[in-house]
Amino acid sequence: MPGTLQGRDLLSIRDLSREEIRLILDTAKQLKQRYYAGERVIPVLKGKTIALLFEKPSTRTRVSMEVAAVQLGAYPLVLRKGETQLSRGEPIKDTARVLSRYVDAIAARVYSHKSLEELAAYSTVPVINMLSDLEHPLQALADALTIEERFGSVKGVKVAYVGDGRNNVAHSLLLVVAKLGGHIAIASPPGLQPRSDVVEAAQAAAEESGATIEILEDPREAVRGADVVYTDVWVSMGEEGEAEQRRRMLRGYQVNEQLMSLASSRAVFMHCLPAHRGEEVTEEVIEGPWSIVWDQAENRLHVQKAVLALLLSP
Protein backbone atom coordinates (compact mmCIF):
# COMPACT_ATOMS: atom_id res chain seq x y z
CA MET A 1 0.00 0.00 0.00
CA PRO A 2 1.42 3.44 -0.93
CA GLY A 3 1.62 5.47 2.27
CA THR A 4 -0.80 5.40 5.20
CA LEU A 5 -3.44 7.38 7.05
CA GLN A 6 -3.13 4.97 9.96
CA GLY A 7 -5.09 5.77 13.09
CA ARG A 8 -6.94 8.79 11.67
CA ASP A 9 -10.64 9.60 11.93
CA LEU A 10 -12.53 10.37 8.72
CA LEU A 11 -15.54 12.52 9.58
CA SER A 12 -15.39 15.05 6.75
CA ILE A 13 -13.73 15.73 3.42
CA ARG A 14 -12.34 18.75 5.27
CA ASP A 15 -10.19 16.29 7.27
CA LEU A 16 -8.28 15.33 4.11
CA SER A 17 -5.64 17.24 2.16
CA ARG A 18 -5.59 17.05 -1.62
CA GLU A 19 -2.62 14.67 -1.38
CA GLU A 20 -4.50 12.40 1.03
CA ILE A 21 -7.53 12.30 -1.26
CA ARG A 22 -5.17 11.42 -4.09
CA LEU A 23 -3.70 8.61 -1.96
CA ILE A 24 -7.18 7.17 -1.27
CA LEU A 25 -8.20 7.33 -4.94
CA ASP A 26 -4.96 5.80 -6.20
CA THR A 27 -5.20 3.00 -3.63
CA ALA A 28 -8.85 2.39 -4.62
CA LYS A 29 -7.82 2.10 -8.27
CA GLN A 30 -5.13 -0.46 -7.38
CA LEU A 31 -7.55 -2.49 -5.26
CA LYS A 32 -10.18 -2.40 -8.00
CA GLN A 33 -7.66 -3.63 -10.57
CA ARG A 34 -6.67 -6.48 -8.28
CA TYR A 35 -10.36 -7.27 -7.66
CA TYR A 36 -11.00 -7.65 -11.39
CA ALA A 37 -7.81 -9.65 -11.78
CA GLY A 38 -9.43 -12.21 -9.48
CA GLU A 39 -7.81 -11.16 -6.20
CA ARG A 40 -11.05 -10.81 -4.23
CA VAL A 41 -9.47 -11.18 -0.78
CA ILE A 42 -6.37 -9.17 0.19
CA PRO A 43 -6.04 -9.92 3.94
CA VAL A 44 -4.15 -6.81 5.09
CA LEU A 45 -6.64 -6.45 7.97
CA LYS A 46 -6.69 -10.09 9.04
CA GLY A 47 -7.67 -10.39 12.70
CA LYS A 48 -9.20 -6.92 12.94
CA THR A 49 -12.84 -6.15 13.80
CA ILE A 50 -14.77 -3.15 12.52
CA ALA A 51 -17.98 -2.06 14.25
CA LEU A 52 -20.59 -0.74 11.81
CA LEU A 53 -23.08 1.35 13.79
CA PHE A 54 -26.36 2.21 12.04
CA GLU A 55 -28.93 4.74 13.25
CA LYS A 56 -30.35 5.01 9.71
CA PRO A 57 -31.44 2.33 7.23
CA SER A 58 -28.93 1.46 4.50
CA THR A 59 -28.43 -0.64 1.40
CA ARG A 60 -25.28 0.47 -0.45
CA THR A 61 -23.39 1.70 2.61
CA ARG A 62 -24.03 -1.38 4.73
CA VAL A 63 -23.40 -3.95 2.01
CA SER A 64 -20.32 -2.21 0.59
CA MET A 65 -18.75 -1.69 4.03
CA GLU A 66 -19.41 -5.26 5.12
CA VAL A 67 -18.00 -6.66 1.89
CA ALA A 68 -15.04 -4.25 2.00
CA ALA A 69 -14.13 -5.45 5.49
CA VAL A 70 -14.43 -9.12 4.54
CA GLN A 71 -12.36 -8.69 1.38
CA LEU A 72 -9.59 -7.14 3.50
CA GLY A 73 -9.72 -10.03 5.96
CA ALA A 74 -11.50 -8.12 8.77
CA TYR A 75 -14.69 -9.02 10.61
CA PRO A 76 -17.57 -6.51 10.21
CA LEU A 77 -19.76 -6.31 13.31
CA VAL A 78 -23.11 -4.72 12.38
CA LEU A 79 -24.83 -2.85 15.23
CA ARG A 80 -28.26 -1.33 14.70
CA LYS A 81 -29.11 1.36 17.22
CA GLY A 82 -32.14 -0.57 18.45
CA GLU A 83 -29.88 -3.51 19.29
CA THR A 84 -27.53 -1.48 21.51
CA GLN A 85 -27.91 0.36 24.79
CA LEU A 86 -27.92 3.63 22.83
CA SER A 87 -31.62 2.94 22.26
CA ARG A 88 -32.11 2.90 26.04
CA GLY A 89 -30.32 6.16 26.72
CA GLU A 90 -26.68 5.16 27.15
CA PRO A 91 -24.50 8.20 26.38
CA ILE A 92 -22.58 8.10 23.12
CA LYS A 93 -19.34 8.74 25.03
CA ASP A 94 -19.84 5.56 27.06
CA THR A 95 -20.55 3.49 23.97
CA ALA A 96 -17.45 4.96 22.28
CA ARG A 97 -15.16 4.09 25.17
CA VAL A 98 -16.51 0.55 25.46
CA LEU A 99 -16.41 -0.22 21.74
CA SER A 100 -12.84 1.10 21.61
CA ARG A 101 -11.83 -1.73 23.97
CA TYR A 102 -13.36 -4.36 21.67
CA VAL A 103 -12.85 -3.29 18.04
CA ASP A 104 -10.21 -1.75 15.79
CA ALA A 105 -12.42 0.89 14.18
CA ILE A 106 -15.96 2.28 14.36
CA ALA A 107 -17.89 3.31 11.26
CA ALA A 108 -21.18 5.08 11.97
CA ARG A 109 -24.23 6.16 9.98
CA VAL A 110 -26.00 8.73 12.12
CA TYR A 111 -28.67 11.41 12.02
CA SER A 112 -26.60 14.14 13.70
CA HIS A 113 -23.01 15.02 12.84
CA LYS A 114 -22.61 16.07 16.49
CA SER A 115 -23.16 12.45 17.49
CA LEU A 116 -20.33 11.44 15.19
CA GLU A 117 -18.03 14.11 16.65
CA GLU A 118 -18.79 12.92 20.17
CA LEU A 119 -18.15 9.33 19.16
CA ALA A 120 -14.76 10.34 17.75
CA ALA A 121 -13.90 12.49 20.76
CA TYR A 122 -14.22 9.56 23.16
CA SER A 123 -13.07 6.72 20.91
CA THR A 124 -9.45 5.58 20.96
CA VAL A 125 -9.82 3.84 17.57
CA PRO A 126 -10.51 5.44 14.18
CA VAL A 127 -14.06 6.65 13.55
CA ILE A 128 -15.41 6.78 9.99
CA ASN A 129 -18.41 8.77 8.82
CA MET A 130 -20.75 6.49 6.85
CA LEU A 131 -23.23 9.42 6.61
CA SER A 132 -24.40 12.25 8.84
CA ASP A 133 -26.71 15.20 8.30
CA LEU A 134 -23.67 17.34 7.43
CA GLU A 135 -21.52 15.15 5.17
CA HIS A 136 -21.18 11.87 3.30
CA PRO A 137 -17.41 11.70 2.64
CA LEU A 138 -17.27 8.07 1.46
CA GLN A 139 -19.86 8.84 -1.21
CA ALA A 140 -17.92 11.89 -2.42
CA LEU A 141 -14.68 9.89 -2.65
CA ALA A 142 -16.47 7.23 -4.71
CA ASP A 143 -17.90 10.01 -6.89
CA ALA A 144 -14.41 11.41 -7.48
CA LEU A 145 -13.15 7.95 -8.45
CA THR A 146 -16.06 7.55 -10.89
CA ILE A 147 -15.40 10.94 -12.49
CA GLU A 148 -11.70 10.10 -12.87
CA GLU A 149 -12.53 6.79 -14.51
CA ARG A 150 -14.70 8.59 -17.07
CA PHE A 151 -12.66 11.76 -17.69
CA GLY A 152 -9.16 10.91 -16.48
CA SER A 153 -9.17 13.57 -13.77
CA VAL A 154 -11.52 15.73 -11.72
CA LYS A 155 -9.36 18.74 -12.52
CA GLY A 156 -10.95 20.83 -15.26
CA VAL A 157 -14.21 18.84 -15.23
CA LYS A 158 -17.44 20.81 -14.69
CA VAL A 159 -19.81 19.22 -12.18
CA ALA A 160 -23.35 20.56 -11.85
CA TYR A 161 -25.32 19.55 -8.78
CA VAL A 162 -29.06 20.25 -9.01
CA GLY A 163 -31.53 20.13 -6.13
CA ASP A 164 -31.12 20.21 -2.35
CA GLY A 165 -27.72 21.86 -1.95
CA ARG A 166 -27.87 21.81 1.84
CA ASN A 167 -27.69 18.05 2.20
CA ASN A 168 -24.75 15.83 3.10
CA VAL A 169 -23.97 14.65 -0.42
CA ALA A 170 -23.89 18.17 -1.87
CA HIS A 171 -21.57 19.35 0.92
CA SER A 172 -19.05 16.53 0.48
CA LEU A 173 -19.20 16.72 -3.32
CA LEU A 174 -18.55 20.47 -3.19
CA LEU A 175 -15.49 19.95 -0.98
CA VAL A 176 -13.95 17.08 -2.94
CA VAL A 177 -14.35 18.80 -6.32
CA ALA A 178 -12.87 22.01 -4.89
CA LYS A 179 -9.88 20.14 -3.43
CA LEU A 180 -9.21 18.29 -6.70
CA GLY A 181 -9.39 21.35 -8.96
CA GLY A 182 -12.70 20.77 -10.72
CA HIS A 183 -15.41 23.31 -11.47
CA ILE A 184 -18.64 22.91 -9.53
CA ALA A 185 -21.96 24.71 -9.87
CA ILE A 186 -24.69 24.01 -7.33
CA ALA A 187 -28.22 25.09 -8.24
CA SER A 188 -30.67 25.18 -5.35
CA PRO A 189 -33.61 27.34 -4.28
CA PRO A 190 -33.15 29.88 -1.47
CA GLY A 191 -33.22 28.09 1.87
CA LEU A 192 -31.72 24.90 0.42
CA GLN A 193 -28.32 26.21 -0.65
CA PRO A 194 -25.11 24.84 0.92
CA ARG A 195 -24.12 25.91 4.42
CA SER A 196 -21.94 29.01 4.40
CA ASP A 197 -19.13 27.36 6.40
CA VAL A 198 -18.92 24.51 3.87
CA VAL A 199 -18.83 26.99 0.98
CA GLU A 200 -16.07 28.96 2.72
CA ALA A 201 -14.01 25.80 3.24
CA ALA A 202 -14.51 24.85 -0.40
CA GLN A 203 -13.49 28.32 -1.58
CA ALA A 204 -10.31 28.15 0.50
CA ALA A 205 -9.48 24.79 -1.12
CA ALA A 206 -10.30 26.19 -4.57
CA GLU A 207 -7.75 28.96 -4.15
CA GLU A 208 -5.05 26.31 -3.83
CA SER A 209 -6.30 23.90 -6.50
CA GLY A 210 -7.56 26.30 -9.18
CA ALA A 211 -11.14 25.09 -8.84
CA THR A 212 -14.12 27.36 -9.43
CA ILE A 213 -17.33 27.38 -7.41
CA GLU A 214 -20.76 28.78 -8.30
CA ILE A 215 -23.77 28.77 -5.99
CA LEU A 216 -26.81 29.46 -8.19
CA GLU A 217 -30.59 29.28 -8.22
CA ASP A 218 -31.19 28.49 -11.90
CA PRO A 219 -30.58 24.79 -12.70
CA ARG A 220 -30.26 25.56 -16.43
CA GLU A 221 -27.42 27.97 -15.75
CA ALA A 222 -25.64 25.36 -13.62
CA VAL A 223 -26.04 22.53 -16.14
CA ARG A 224 -25.09 24.50 -19.25
CA GLY A 225 -21.84 22.96 -20.54
CA ALA A 226 -21.50 20.59 -17.57
CA ASP A 227 -19.64 17.29 -17.91
CA VAL A 228 -21.35 15.76 -14.87
CA VAL A 229 -24.96 16.38 -13.85
CA TYR A 230 -25.64 15.17 -10.31
CA THR A 231 -28.73 15.11 -8.15
CA ASP A 232 -30.02 13.52 -4.95
CA VAL A 233 -33.41 12.90 -3.36
CA TRP A 234 -35.48 15.92 -2.43
CA VAL A 235 -36.46 14.51 0.97
CA SER A 236 -33.64 12.90 2.94
CA MET A 237 -34.08 10.53 5.89
CA GLY A 238 -35.20 12.51 8.92
CA GLU A 239 -36.84 15.24 6.81
CA GLU A 240 -40.12 13.46 6.11
CA GLY A 241 -42.06 16.12 8.03
CA GLU A 242 -40.95 18.69 5.44
CA ALA A 243 -41.69 16.49 2.43
CA GLU A 244 -44.46 18.50 0.79
CA GLN A 245 -42.73 21.85 1.35
CA ARG A 246 -39.50 20.50 -0.14
CA ARG A 247 -41.27 19.06 -3.17
CA ARG A 248 -42.87 22.45 -3.83
CA MET A 249 -39.51 24.22 -3.47
CA LEU A 250 -37.67 21.76 -5.72
CA ARG A 251 -40.29 21.12 -8.41
CA GLY A 252 -38.30 23.10 -10.97
CA TYR A 253 -35.08 21.19 -10.23
CA GLN A 254 -35.89 17.83 -11.81
CA VAL A 255 -33.14 16.36 -13.97
CA ASN A 256 -34.87 15.40 -17.22
CA GLU A 257 -33.93 15.07 -20.89
CA GLN A 258 -34.56 18.76 -21.51
CA LEU A 259 -32.14 19.76 -18.74
CA MET A 260 -29.54 17.20 -19.83
CA SER A 261 -29.64 18.62 -23.36
CA LEU A 262 -27.95 21.76 -21.98
CA ALA A 263 -24.94 19.79 -20.70
CA SER A 264 -21.77 19.10 -22.70
CA SER A 265 -21.71 16.50 -25.48
CA ARG A 266 -19.74 14.16 -23.19
CA ALA A 267 -21.99 14.65 -20.16
CA VAL A 268 -22.84 11.88 -17.70
CA PHE A 269 -25.53 11.64 -15.05
CA MET A 270 -24.76 10.72 -11.43
CA HIS A 271 -26.97 10.00 -8.42
CA CYS A 272 -25.91 8.58 -5.05
CA LEU A 273 -29.12 6.46 -4.83
CA PRO A 274 -31.75 5.55 -3.84
CA ALA A 275 -33.51 7.49 -6.61
CA HIS A 276 -37.13 8.57 -6.74
CA ARG A 277 -37.94 8.30 -10.43
CA GLY A 278 -40.36 10.97 -11.57
CA GLU A 279 -39.29 13.28 -8.73
CA GLU A 280 -35.65 14.48 -8.75
CA VAL A 281 -34.85 12.51 -11.94
CA THR A 282 -36.85 10.98 -14.75
CA GLU A 283 -36.76 7.33 -15.78
CA GLU A 284 -35.38 8.33 -19.20
CA VAL A 285 -32.29 9.95 -17.66
CA ILE A 286 -31.38 7.42 -14.96
CA GLU A 287 -31.91 4.50 -17.34
CA GLY A 288 -30.54 6.32 -20.39
CA PRO A 289 -27.11 6.60 -22.04
CA TRP A 290 -26.02 9.46 -19.74
CA SER A 291 -26.32 7.37 -16.57
CA ILE A 292 -23.23 6.00 -14.80
CA VAL A 293 -24.98 5.53 -11.45
CA TRP A 294 -24.20 1.79 -11.27
CA ASP A 295 -20.46 2.39 -11.75
CA GLN A 296 -20.76 5.06 -9.08
CA ALA A 297 -22.48 2.65 -6.68
CA GLU A 298 -19.86 -0.06 -7.27
CA ASN A 299 -17.04 2.36 -6.54
CA ARG A 300 -18.28 2.72 -2.96
CA LEU A 301 -16.81 -0.76 -2.39
CA HIS A 302 -13.38 0.02 -3.80
CA VAL A 303 -13.03 3.42 -2.12
CA GLN A 304 -14.10 2.05 1.24
CA LYS A 305 -11.59 -0.79 0.96
CA ALA A 306 -8.93 1.85 0.36
CA VAL A 307 -10.07 3.93 3.35
CA LEU A 308 -10.14 0.91 5.69
CA ALA A 309 -6.76 -0.33 4.48
CA LEU A 310 -5.09 3.07 4.82
CA LEU A 311 -6.57 3.84 8.26
CA LEU A 312 -6.02 0.40 9.78
CA SER A 313 -3.10 -1.38 8.08
CA PRO A 314 0.42 -0.90 9.45
Side-chain angles (χ1 to χ4, degrees):
M1 297 294 174
T4 183
L5 295 171
Q6 190 178 16
R8 292 266 298 277
D9 294 326
L10 177 51
L11 307 188
S12 164
I13 293 296
R14 283 187 263 197
D15 296 339
L16 299 170
S17 68
R18 183 166 66 253
E19 293 74 23
E20 288 166 345
I21 293 172
R22 182 77 269 139
L23 174 61
I24 291 169
L25 297 181
D26 290 344
T27 302
K29 289 175 183 178
Q30 292 178 26
L31 291 170
K32 186 172 183 178
Q33 288 170 356
R34 293 171 71 174
Y35 177 88
Y36 277 102
E39 203 172 354
R40 295 298 174 95
V41 178
I42 304 172
V44 294
L45 301 184
K46 185 178 180 180
K48 294 188 182 294
T49 301
I50 302 165
L52 307 180
L53 181 61
F54 289 90
E55 286 187 348
K56 288 185 171 187
S58 175
T59 299
R60 276 151 297 279
T61 298
R62 176 178 171 177
V63 174
S64 60
M65 284 295 281
E66 281 197 66
V67 173
V70 169
Q71 289 185 356
L72 293 173
Y75 177 73
L77 178 63
V78 176
L79 300 169
R80 301 174 188 85
K81 185 178 179 181
E83 299 171 341
T84 71
Q85 294 296 337
L86 287 169
S87 65
R88 299 180 65 244
E90 180 172 72
I92 291 172
K93 61 184 179 181
D94 292 1
T95 296
R97 287 180 287 198
V98 169
L99 287 179
S100 296
R101 301 291 182 103
Y102 299 149
V103 303
D104 298 285
I106 303 167
R109 184 176 175 92
V110 298
Y111 282 97
S112 171
H113 195 77
K114 291 181 179 178
S115 298
L116 198 67
E117 291 174 335
E118 184 176 0
L119 192 63
Y122 286 91
S123 172
T124 57
V125 299
V127 173
I128 302 167
N129 181 358
M130 293 195 297
L131 179 143
S132 71
D133 59 340
L134 179 61
E135 274 204 56
H136 199 349
L138 297 177
Q139 179 66 57
L141 291 166
D143 296 339
L145 176 59
T146 308
I147 293 169
E148 289 198 348
E149 287 179 338
R150 177 55 66 118
F151 298 110
S153 175
V154 174
K155 191 170 183 66
V157 171
K158 181 179 178 182
V159 179
Y161 177 95
V162 176
D164 179 7
R166 200 171 180 83
N167 78 4
N168 43 29
V169 169
H171 285 155
S172 290
L173 183 69
L174 172 58
L175 289 164
V176 82
V177 172
K179 284 177 178 277
L180 292 175
H183 308 300
I184 184 162
I186 295 184
S188 306
L192 291 179
Q193 295 189 333
R195 281 177 35 157
S196 59
D197 61 315
V198 177
V199 175
E200 289 169 7
Q203 287 172 334
E207 289 178 6
E208 295 184 10
S209 69
T212 61
I213 297 168
E214 295 180 280
I215 308 299
L216 308 166
E217 291 184 29
D218 186 349
R220 293 166 299 181
E221 185 179 352
V223 169
R224 192 167 285 112
D227 302 304
V228 177
V229 180
Y230 197 126
T231 193
D232 192 7
V233 295
W234 289 349
V235 183
S236 298
M237 286 179 285
E239 297 171 342
E240 289 80 5
E242 307 168 22
E244 288 310 310
Q245 178 188 2
R246 283 175 163 269
R247 290 188 179 106
R248 285 194 299 271
M249 295 173 71
L250 291 163
R251 192 167 291 127
Y253 290 81
Q254 183 186 75
V255 178
N256 50 39
E257 290 179 294
Q258 184 179 11
L259 190 65
M260 288 298 300
S261 71
L262 300 175
S264 78
S265 59
R266 64 175 189 168
V268 296
F269 171 74
M270 296 177 69
H271 192 306
C272 57
L273 302 176
H276 294 167
R277 291 162 166 81
E279 198 164 278
E280 76 273 4
V281 63
T282 61
E283 180 82 4
E284 292 75 18
V285 170
I286 196 169
E287 296 290 353
W290 295 290
S291 180
I292 57 170
V293 298
W294 318 117
D295 296 333
Q296 184 184 359
E298 179 190 340
N299 281 336
R300 290 290 303 278
L301 170 64
H302 307 298
V303 157
Q304 287 160 189
K305 284 167 71 174
V307 167
L308 291 175
L310 291 166
L311 264 59
L312 297 179
S313 64

